[in-house]
Amino acid sequence: MNLVVKAEQRQEWMREVTAFGDAFLAGLKDGPAFNASGPEPGSLEIDGQQHDLTSLLKRFKEQVVNQGLNPASGGHLGYIPGGGLYASAMADYLAAITNEYAGVRFGSPGAVQIEHEVLRWIGGQFGFPEAGTVGNLTSGGSIANLIAITAARDRHEVLKNGSSRHTVYVSEQAHHCILKAFRITGLGDTLFRMIPLDERHRMRPEAMRKQIEADLAEGLQPFMVIASAGTTDTGAVDPLDVLADLAEEYAMWFHVDAAYGGFFIMVDALKPLFRGIERAQSLVVDPHKGLFLPYGVGAVLVRDAEAVLKSHHYTPNYLQDALDVSFPDSPADLSPELTKHFRGLRVWLPLQIHGDAPFADALARTVELTHYFRDQVELRGFKIGPPPDLSVSYFWYPAQANNLGSDDDFNARLMTLMHQDGDVFHSSTTVGGRFVIRVAVLCFRTTRSTIDRSLAMIDRCMLQASGK
Ligand SMILES: Cc1ncc(COP(=O)(O)O)c(C=O)c1O
């Protein structure tokens, strides 16, 4: 078979692929969200032979799609869900077919324009000024955070001035990709100050100020505040405006990781929570979370174009005189990537097809469903975490008080049983040393009946866990 495929063959393949996609989507409503097994050994082997698409799709379904977590399912209530919008799948198809080169403007001015337009739209949601702000569409939140932290490092010349003398102020709830980014950027010995949290898991600004003053008294150099707008574990939004004040007062870089929670700013009732986010020097927000896109797109915005270019542009002399309104031209100047997937299209197309309103509505619904879930588990005798800022919360069963052994052992057993059941998927974490089960609603396919299915599953598993 030739690598150039004839039109009739292409059409036949597309019919099969489309039928596969349709059947998959039709099965989402009633299908389980999790299957604890994995592929059979050798079942996905590349053996150098030719195989027909029908048999390959069958293997793909059995060995990939039906295994593990189903992240497209509305029943994915663990980790941070997203869903996967159909319009993005179409965009990925078009991006792959045309193979537009989204790294450098010269190669594909249109693709780069779309990336800039998406970033401009995102910046607009957060009140970022267009002038002087640069951004990049990354593979996800981890790389987006890495770009921001690299820019902060270079703006403050941390390596030159001794990273072990520099201090960073952060919540223990900050995503671990932040700590990874510090190691990757050569800042592994920077002093991390874990700021005490309030009863709703948000950083206490007064404790931060005390720590900054103590660090200054020791001759250390406070350099960065890292706030979260929606922590992964508990969905907490730090008091952004007050933290921005502190960062400004002590001339620190103010970074906000809003990878999970950022797009909730589109919900009118939640806007006040985000006050101060527009003052961030850098901001991370993930369309593959809060805009329900398929995995593979995060975003970073940085107000200090020069700092980002210093880290990522390949001809530094070009830096000073190129900072005009038409700059930066190319995503490759703002990220470690040169060649990259044309990610802009998978954000641009759904936003153009659906408009903004359905996104805001779907986000608002996730918050309502989280509250409904909390009320229902509480009625069942569970303890619940503090009222969540967004759509992540947690709960645990007070086993000890009910003569069912230690709380942690019981809830870990319950979690295992829930995973074995798999109808709806939850994940666990540790909060304040306690094993808790999380509920994270962030899929546009999650409905009240999904939550009711989860509650029915919890009832089933509770009977088993308590040996009834
Ligand atoms: C708050 C936060 N930041 C960063 C990340 C990392 O993002 P990604 O998994 O897209 O790299 C996550 C992932 O869940 C997150 O919740």
Side-chain angles (χ1 to χ4, degrees), residues 8-338:
E8 305 82 69
Q9 176 70 84
R10 289 201 307 267
Q11 284 152 11
E12 197 185 313
W13 281 348
M14 274 316 284
R15 270 195 295 277
E16 264 198 86
V17 168
T18 308
F20 182 96
D22 287 344
F24 172 78
L25 293 175
L28 280 180
K29 192 163 162 288
D30 298 321
F34 187 65
N35 170 7
S37 61
E40 288 159 29
S43 60
L44 297 166
E45 187 192 357
I46 299 172
D47 60 7
Q49 304 302 309
Q50 295 181 351
H51 300 273
D52 63 280
L53 183 63
T54 312
S55 68
L56 292 171
L57 286 178
K58 184 169 179 292
R59 266 203 274 170
F60 174 60
K61 179 172 180 213
E62 288 166 359
Q63 306 297 332
V64 180
V65 176
N66 290 351
Q67 308 291 338
L69 178 58
N70 183 346
S73 161
H76 175 13
L77 305 180
Y79 311 125
I80 298 291
L85 289 181
Y86 193 78
S88 275
M90 293 196 296
D92 277 355
Y93 170 75
L94 295 171
I97 282 283
T98 57
N99 202 18
E100 286 291 337
Y101 192 84
V104 177
R105 180 183 281 277
F106 179 77
S108 183
V112 170
Q113 194 61 40
I114 281 192
E115 171 145 344
H116 286 326
E117 181 52 26
V118 166
L119 290 162
R120 191 198 62 78
W121 179 86
I122 293 175
Q125 301 300 317
F126 293 94
F128 266 53
E130 277 183 44
T133 298
V134 293
N136 196 263
L137 293 180
T138 62
S139 57
S142 300
I143 301 298
N145 274 297
L146 178 68
I147 290 173
I149 286 161
T150 308
R153 176 197 70 185
D154 292 349
R155 164 56 62 211
H156 284 256
E157 300 192 316
V158 177
L159 286 172
K160 193 164 122 198
N161 296 324
S163 50
S164 61
R165 289 187 51 251
H166 285 74
T167 50
V168 179
Y169 303 87
V170 67
S171 153
E172 64 174 20
Q173 299 260 324
H175 194 270
H176 69 274
C177 72
I178 305 266
L179 299 162
K180 264 169 77 171
F182 270 79
R183 284 199 309 227
I184 295 167
T185 50
L187 303 181
D189 59 355
T190 304
L191 301 170
F192 265 73
R193 303 305 196 203
M194 297 298 178
I195 302 305
L197 307 179
D198 66 16
E199 63 293 343
R200 292 179 68 178
H201 308 297
R202 304 180 283 208
M203 279 196 282
R204 290 180 189 274
E206 71 285 3
M208 186 182 294
R209 178 186 290 283
K210 250 195 208 156
Q211 183 66 56
I212 295 168
E213 287 295 339
D215 289 338
L216 283 170
E218 269 190 54
L220 298 170
Q221 181 62 60
F223 120 82
M224 192 169 185
V225 174
I226 299 182
S228 305
T231 57
T232 317
D233 269 356
T234 65
V237 179
D238 287 321
L240 302 174
D241 216 21
V242 191
L243 297 181
D245 287 343
L246 274 176
E248 208 171 280
E249 185 180 337
Y250 291 96
M252 292 187 281
W253 183 284
F254 181 43
H255 173 66
V256 180
D257 179 4
Y260 148 60
F263 285 113
F264 282 96
I265 203 170
M266 296 174 76
V267 180
D268 283 341
L270 297 174
K271 275 191 202 307
L273 265 181
F274 294 89
R275 197 168 296 127
I277 203 163
E278 71 287 351
R279 298 168 65 193
Q281 249 102 23
S282 51
L283 169 71
V284 165
V285 62
D286 270 1
H288 70 189
K289 297 184 175 75
L291 289 184
F292 320 115
L293 266 49
Y295 294 139
V297 59
V300 59
L301 293 172
V302 186
R303 299 171 83 123
D304 187 340
E306 201 184 337
V308 188
L309 292 164
K310 191 170 175 185
S311 321
H312 294 103
H313 195 277
Y314 56 89
T315 48
N317 295 343
Y318 179 52
L319 225 169
Q320 292 103 0
D321 57 11
L323 280 172
D324 64 29
V325 281
S326 63
F327 197 83
D329 276 340
S330 294
D333 291 329
L334 303 164
S335 127
E337 292 182 290
L338 176 56

Side-chain angles (χ1 to χ4, degrees), residues 410-449:
F410 183 89
N411 286 285
R413 190 158 74 247
L414 179 62
M415 182 81 277
T416 306
L417 290 166
M418 286 164 67
H419 285 163
Q420 281 164 4
D421 185 293
D423 196 33
V424 174
F425 182 79
H426 292 261
S427 60
S428 71
T429 189
T430 303
V431 175
R434 172 185 287 289
F435 184 102
V436 296
I437 303 177
R438 291 170 67 256
V439 55
V441 189
L442 196 68
C443 177
F444 64 100
R445 295 191 174 106
T446 306
T447 61
R448 187 138 165 167
S449 81

